[in-house]
Each structure stands twice: as structure tokens, then as C-alpha cells.
Amino acid sequence: MKKIAILTSGGDAPGMNAAIRAVVRTALHNGIEVMGVERGFYGLINGELKPMDRNSVSDIVHKGGTILKTARLETFKDRAVQEKAAQVLRIFGIEGLVVVGGDGSFHGAAKLSELGINTIGIPGTIDNDLAYTDFTLGFDTAVDTVVEAINKLKDTSASHERCSIVEVMGRHCGDIALYAGIAGGAELVVVPEKPYSVNDVVKLILEGRSRDKHHYLIVMAEGVGGAKEMAEEIEEVTGLETRITVLGHIQRGGSPSSADRILAAKFGHRAVELLMEGKTSRVVGIRDNHIIDMDIHEALAMENVFDEKLLTIAQEIS
């Protein structure tokens, strides 16, 4: 293995830069040239590649986003587009590719592997929605960002005796809502994995009133939907002023947490090791605090198992 490339794809996640840094410096330490692909698969098919050295990744470990930029490319599902991407990599003499992203990015990496390019995937997505790994890159930072916002909302909510509904990211996976809800002391966490009833929410508030409680915090994953309807029902039945706060893309940005920086270092280092071993179509992850790797198809086929115990904890300590 003499030359490899790295790209970031899909939604950005805090820690991507730290992963880029780890891949570049691990490769250079082992005498391997590195090229950075700008704008993900879109940039790859357009030949947007540049050489990277140690200085290219200086002072980026603490930065959010990705210095290589990212983009989505729906047409990468087409075989002709995949073949063009593989051809570009061969023209540049690249033997291995590290792809940092989520499940869509991994599907693209798998297709390139079928075309003879050694590919390794690093899970970079704040949703934590890849079942094969306990945690994905960026998740810890996103949770910290939500908790910081919750802390501030609780102050104003208590002052005005309001109910605050905080909508966080998570279309199909409620991990950000669940973890942030516990860490932020929410009275209720609503996730797409478990059905909920507005009547149960109203009952919770009415029971709290009997304990002389007059402000509430509800954390809801965006995939659940119905925040507006819930707020209206709460106000109509309880008379409690209810406000909705949608945190949106603020959860993607910001300096990565120390946990995400360390995870990025481990993921990036292992990705280069796998390429040096001649491996392809693999993804790295963490399970039971150990760095693992597995076949990319097996990883994508695994179904998410929701942490029922953690939700029980959230309910019992709320």
C-alpha cells in the first residue's frame, strides 16, 4: 500500500477532522502517501483530490465540521457513476480509500470495494444509528450540545413556569433525545422507537402539579413528530404555557468533545492498519470499549436494538 485517500460524506459530525488527522498522520508515519478528496463522492467523481501532509492536518483536532467538506450525491447509486469514481482513484494511483460517514456513505464504499478499490469505513454520524457499533463519531458532542441548550432552557422555563418541548435530531434513532434527556434532567423523553400518548404527557403534568411542580422539560426526537400538537394539547388541558424549541443543525457543529477526539484517533489509526493488512470492505467501530472491525455488508444488515433499560432509567428518575 503506497497511496491512500480519505473523504467525508453525508452529514458532517464533530470529530471528522480529528479522524482525518489520525488517518493522514498514521499513514505518513508508515510511509504511505495520502490524498484528501474534497466534497465527498461528488468531489471524487470530479477529481477534486489534493495531496495531504502533516501540516495539512495541523490545528484541526479541535475544530468541528470537516476541512475536506462534504456533500450528498444521490446519483452515486448508479453503476456508471461508481465506475467513474473508481477510475478517478486509479488515475491518481490510489490503492485504498477511507470513507467517514453514515450508512449511505458505507453503501458507496461497498460499491467501490466491488470495483477493486480497498475501502474502509469510519462511522461519522451524530445520530448514533449504526447498529454494529456502540457509538458513532460525533454522537457524544451532539449530546453535550443538546444538554447545554437544555440547561439554559430550564432556567427560563422555571422562571416563567412553562413547559418546554425540545426537539432534537434523530429521524429513526432516539439516542440523542434519550441520552440528553437523562443528562439534562428531562421530565419526559419521547423517541421514535417507543409509542407515546399525549394523554400520558398531560397526566404527568397534572400529577406534578399536585406536588407543587410548575415547569417541565420534554425532549423529543424529530422522527416522532407532533410537537406542535402536543404543545397545543398541553396548553388546552392544563393551561400551562408551552413553548417548542427546535435545535436543528446547531447539534452538528462545535468543537468535538474529548471522547469524540479520542474515538476519532482510534478509528483513524485502525482504518489505516486495515488497509496496510490488505483488508477491504470493512468498517471500524467500538463495542464494549474495544475497537472492532467487521464486514461492511454485515454491519449494514444489523438492526438497531433500542436500549430499553436506559429508557426505563429515564422514566424512573424523571
Side-chain angles (χ1 to χ4, degrees), residues 5-13 15-21 23 35-44 65-72 97-102 105 122 124 137:
I6 180 171
L7 65 79
T8 51
S9 176
D12 62 304
M16 280 185 166
N17 280 330
I20 294 168
R21 179 179 183 271
V23 167
M35 299 199 77
V37 183
E38 295 192 316
R39 300 175 183 84
F41 291 113
Y42 175 85
L44 177 56
T66 162
I67 62 167
L68 291 176
K69 306 178 186 65
T70 183
R72 301 183 191 277
L97 176 68
V98 178
V99 175
V100 187
S105 304
I122 292 177
L137 204 57

Side-chain angles (χ1 to χ4, degrees), residues 219-233:
V219 181
M220 173 184 283
E222 64 181 351
V224 176
K228 184 174 182 291
E229 291 77 7
M230 179 188 285
E232 291 173 350
E233 184 75 9

Side-chain angles (χ1 to χ4, degrees), residues 33 87-88 94 113 121 123 147-148 173 179 207 219 246 286 302 308:
E33 292 182 58
Q87 181 183 14
V88 169
I94 292 166
S113 180
V147 171
E148 182 181 0
C173 178
Y179 279 70
E207 288 176 345
V219 181
V246 180
I286 185 167
M302 292 179 66
E308 300 273 357

Side-chain angles (χ1 to χ4, degrees), residues 183-252:
E187 277 70 42
L188 182 67
V189 175
V190 186
V191 294
E193 292 89 344
K194 300 294 289 186
Y196 81 99
S197 167
V198 176
N199 289 336
D200 292 335
V201 178
V202 171
K203 182 182 177 183
L204 174 76
I205 293 172
L206 293 176
E207 288 176 345
R209 185 169 289 171
S210 67
R211 303 191 310 271
D212 200 32
K213 182 173 179 59
H214 300 287
H215 66 91
Y216 297 85
L217 175 69
I218 299 170
V219 181
M220 173 184 283
E222 64 181 351
V224 176
K228 184 174 182 291
E229 291 77 7
M230 179 188 285
E232 291 173 350
E233 184 75 9
I234 291 172
E235 287 197 346
E236 182 179 344
V237 177
T238 70
L240 185 68
E241 184 182 5
T242 304
R243 298 287 181 87
I244 302 170
T245 300
V246 180
L247 294 184
H249 284 83
I250 189 174
Q251 294 159 86
R252 289 196 184 278

Side-chain angles (χ1 to χ4, degrees), residues 41 76 99 104-114 117 119-120 296:
F41 291 113
F76 202 77
V99 175
S105 304
F106 285 180
H107 280 291
K111 294 301 182 182
L112 288 175
S113 180
E114 293 173 6
I117 304 297
T119 58
I120 305 295
I296 197 166

Side-chain angles (χ1 to χ4, degrees), residues 116-183:
I117 304 297
N118 285 20
T119 58
I120 305 295
I122 292 177
T125 168
I126 66 169
D127 288 347
N128 205 40
D129 58 353
L130 292 169
Y132 79 93
T133 180
D134 290 342
F135 298 107
T136 58
L137 204 57
F139 172 68
D140 185 74
T141 307
V143 170
D144 283 351
T145 299
V146 173
V147 171
E148 182 181 0
I150 285 174
N151 290 341
K152 295 175 180 178
L153 283 168
K154 288 188 78 171
D155 291 342
T156 187
S157 181
S159 299
H160 290 270
E161 296 184 314
R162 288 176 180 150
C163 174
S164 287
I165 300 175
V166 182
E167 184 181 284
V168 303
M169 284 186 165
R171 286 176 294 173
H172 308 293
C173 178
D175 280 10
I176 292 178
L178 180 56
Y179 279 70
I182 292 175

